[in-house]
Amino acid sequence: LRLSDPIPDRGQIAHAIPQWGIKSTSHTKALVETEGACDGIVQTLLSGPPQSRNDAAVVLVMLSGEPAAMRLLAQTPGTFAVLVEMLGLASLSASESAATLLYRQSLEVKYRSEIGGTGNCLEELTTAVDAGTAHAQAMAGCALVNLIDN
């Protein structure tokens, strides 16, 4: 079943599990609207020390219900490459956050070809599906479905 096909009456799509959806809240909205806050988080993801990058990715997962935050992440050069790199790190938190952010970005059709064409993205997502935590496996698998459907 392609993602563009209509869902059968009794069918389910793997990436439609409600607990995976991160919703906008008044707190996340306020943080995104704070001048420079999101820019700083994305810059930390790009160029901070390893632990700070991991922390930035965790915060960005929390902000992934905010379209403005996800748009900034997608439009900042180099972020997809950093997320792909983080998939292969030994840190479980880093790979889970990276897989989640790549999945969330892959929901937007316009970013799929860029994500899939970043470095060895498909290989790293496949490795996360094979050897990651249950959460990383689920997120990476759903990102792969979205990228393959493109």
Side-chain angles (χ1 to χ4, degrees), residues 1 4 18 28 31 41 44 49-50 53 55 57 63 75-76 91 94 99-100 108 113 120 124 130 141 145 147-148:
L1 178 67
S4 56
T28 59
L31 181 60
I41 295 166
T44 301
R53 282 180 165 191
D55 294 341
L63 294 176
Q75 294 172 351
T76 302
S91 165
T100 301
E108 291 286 337
S113 61
N120 55 349
E124 290 292 348
D130 290 340
V145 167
L147 297 176
I148 291 168

Side-chain angles (χ1 to χ4, degrees), residues 97-109:
S97 296
T100 301
L101 289 168
L102 288 168
Y103 159 68
R104 298 288 291 187
Q105 292 290 10
S106 74
L107 292 172
E108 291 286 337
V109 175

